Amino acid sequence: MKRLSFLLVLFAMLQLPLFAASPVQYIGLNVPVENYSNMPRMRARAMDKSDFKLLYSLLKEEAFENGRIKMIRVACIGNCFTSSQCADMLSLFSFDSNKLQALEYLAPCVVDKRACGVILKVFSFTSNRQKAETLLMGDRRR
């Protein structure tokens, strides 16, 4: 599983197409986000600690926040995360706007939404916490 997560992140960084067994022909950075949200999740449980540790180290090594967002976007394909894993990933971002953008990809993949308080604590401003809560609860009306 480590190798699969690493390859997904690597393909995203290199912007290489990867064939997928789904309605989406390629898992790449040029595919619209809307296609990802309707894909069935491959796992019913959160990513295990060793795979998450690898993903987190790759995210931490990425110098630019846009690169981190792209890596999170790819990592969300077929993976689920706990609230604490999401909070750890979001804590790598400096600005709330980037945290919210990453959370748009992560929110559908959170397996324990009842424990989402740990995610909300990552945000600096109350207004952004409210936006994050809206994303986590699945209400896309803003």
Side-chain angles (χ1 to χ4, degrees):
M1 197 66 211
K2 285 183 189 178
R3 189 175 191 155
L4 177 63
S5 298
F6 175 75
L7 288 176
L8 285 174
V9 172
L10 181 64
F11 276 96
M13 289 171 52
L14 298 175
Q15 298 184 359
L16 297 174
L18 176 68
F19 291 98
S22 71
V24 178
Q25 289 183 348
Y26 299 107
I27 299 174
L29 300 176
N30 56 353
V31 178
V33 179
E34 297 80 36
N35 292 342
Y36 293 132
S37 62
N38 295 329
M39 288 180 62
R41 297 285 169 219
M42 297 170 127
R43 290 186 188 188
R45 55 190 164 89
M47 182 181 279
D48 62 36
K49 290 180 182 181
S50 61
D51 288 343
F52 180 73
K53 187 176 180 181
L54 175 65
L55 174 63
Y56 184 80
S57 66
L58 289 171
L59 287 170
K60 198 170 184 178
E61 290 172 9
E62 176 61 40
F64 299 103
E65 294 199 351
N66 278 345
R68 288 182 185 149
I69 291 170
K70 290 175 184 177
M71 291 170 72
I72 286 175
R73 178 179 173 185
V74 173
C76 287
I77 300 169
N79 289 302
C80 295
F81 303 98
T82 64
S83 293
S84 62
Q85 288 174 335
C86 288
D88 290 343
M89 287 188 278
L90 293 175
S91 67
L92 294 172
F93 293 95
S94 302
F95 303 105
D96 277 4
S97 60
N98 291 335
K99 292 176 187 179
L100 283 170
Q101 193 175 356
L103 187 60
E104 286 183 24
Y105 300 114
L106 290 168
C109 305
V110 177
V111 294
D112 58 345
K113 291 192 179 181
R114 291 185 182 189
C116 70
V118 69
I119 296 173
L120 299 177
K121 289 180 183 178
V122 174
F123 292 91
S124 304
F125 300 104
T126 306
S127 61
N128 290 330
R129 282 190 200 115
Q130 291 171 344
K131 290 177 186 177
E133 188 174 7
T134 302
L135 284 172
L136 288 166
M137 294 308 134
D139 183 8
R140 297 275 176 176
R141 293 173 287 145
R142 297 178 197 179

